[in-house]
């Protein structure tokens, strides 16, 4: 019977081949965590550079070959997700485990080049907020929209949020004349999306540019029952979105008091 890490690695490679990067990253992370138990060090995923430097010399040749393969597969998967900076680290770790220096060096170079391009492109970073109903997502958004932090943050609010954005925070500025878009007192803007997220993002970016008020960041609130993966996939499915926006992260809001019971749902 194959070990759990072997099954996970096979699933990760299959997902990579099919372009299913979100599934793939879950498979490869679980696989590497399991293999971390085999070699007795969990830093295999959490701090790969340190792991390779400190533990690598003590590994057997077979273990190094397995890790070479894992790090390269993980690098390929997260490159597909646009996480080029971390991908470069994984490729470097694969090289350290004895991988083909030529092919891996080329992949690493491309990943590092993509990081530089992303920085020079000056894309607007986007954070996706997810969490169970009642976890405090909209409360967090209201706090962001009322604070005088000096940033122009665009908020995409889903139509079915359990609590709406506070009306007292709305400013009747030029942005508010646009359908479904309101401007807040602190300069942030909020847009309610009724289905087409890509259209909502495009409208927000274009209107901000038209009014001479470029955005510093965008936050997307998902519904309490939504899987954030399809939302994240949006940033790799449209040329305009890829050119102007970048997925900065996915933030999960939890209600600490009721967290344990939610874990069973």
């Amino acid at each position: 019977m194959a070990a759990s890490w072997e099954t996970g690695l096979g699933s990760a490679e299959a997902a990579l081949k099919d372009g299913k990067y979100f599934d793939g990253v879950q498979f490869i992370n679980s696989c590497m965590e399991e293999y971390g138990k085999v070699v007795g060090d969990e830093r295999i995923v959490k701090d790969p550079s340190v792991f390779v430097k400190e533990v690598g010399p003590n590994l057997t040749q077979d273990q190094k070959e397995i890790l070479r393969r894992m790090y390269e597969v993980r690098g390929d998967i997260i490159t597909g997700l646009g996480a080029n900076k971390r991908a470069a680290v994984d490729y470097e770790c694969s090289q350290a485990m004895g991988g083909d220096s030529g092919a891996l060096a080329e992949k690493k170079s491309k990943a590092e080049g993509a990081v530089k391009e992303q920085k020079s492109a000056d894309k607007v970073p986007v954070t996706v907020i997810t969490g169970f109903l009642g976890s405090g997502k909209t409360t967090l958004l209201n706090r962001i929209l009322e604070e005088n932090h000096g940033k122009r943050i665009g908020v995409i609010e889903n139509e079915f949020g359990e609590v709406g954005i506070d009306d007292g925070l709305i400013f009747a500025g030029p942005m508010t004349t646009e359908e479904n878009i309101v401007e807040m007192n602190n300069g942030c803007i909020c847009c309610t999306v009724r289905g087409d997220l890509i259209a909502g993002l495009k409208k927000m970016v274009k209107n901000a540019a038209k009014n001479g008020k470029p955005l510093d960041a965008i936050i997307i609130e998902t519904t309490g029952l939504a899987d954030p993966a399809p939302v994240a996939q949006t940033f790799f499915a449209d040329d305009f979105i890829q050119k102007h926006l970048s997925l900065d992260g996915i933030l999960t809001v939890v209600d600490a008091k009721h967290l344990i019971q939610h874990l069973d749902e």
Side-chain angles (χ1 to χ4, degrees), residues 37-58:
K37 297 175 184 177
V38 175
V39 298
D41 199 307
E42 63 180 14
R43 291 176 297 178
I44 186 173
V45 175
K46 295 180 179 179
D47 200 347
S49 296
V50 174
F51 169 82
V52 167
K53 181 179 180 180
E54 296 184 359
V55 182
N58 302 319

Side-chain angles (χ1 to χ4, degrees), residues 110-231:
K110 286 183 178 179
E112 291 173 336
V115 172
K116 292 179 181 179
E117 288 179 7
Q118 287 173 340
K119 290 181 178 179
S120 62
D122 198 25
K123 296 181 181 180
V124 179
V126 181
T127 299
V128 178
I129 295 182
T130 185
F132 283 107
L133 293 169
S135 61
K137 298 187 299 297
T138 307
T139 300
L140 172 61
L141 292 181
N142 277 322
R143 181 64 180 270
I144 292 171
L145 293 172
E146 71 181 0
E147 289 295 317
N148 292 316
H149 40 61
K151 299 289 186 181
R152 283 187 54 77
I153 300 175
V155 173
I156 301 287
E157 182 192 26
N158 77 80
E159 185 184 22
F160 305 105
E162 55 270 29
V163 181
I165 296 298
D166 289 346
D167 292 339
L169 301 177
I170 297 175
F171 166 69
M175 296 289 288
T176 309
T177 60
E178 298 292 338
E179 183 183 4
N180 299 333
I181 294 182
V182 294
E183 186 169 2
M184 319 312 288
N185 290 322
N186 66 352
C188 294
I189 60 175
C190 182
C191 173
T192 300
V193 173
R194 292 180 171 80
D196 192 340
L197 176 60
I198 291 179
L201 286 167
K202 287 181 178 179
K203 177 185 287 188
M204 178 171 280
V205 172
K206 290 178 179 178
N207 277 286
K210 183 177 71 174
N211 286 279
K213 297 180 177 180
L215 297 170
D216 295 304
I218 292 176
I219 297 175
I220 299 174
E221 175 204 22
T222 65
T223 68
L225 302 176
D227 178 357
V231 177

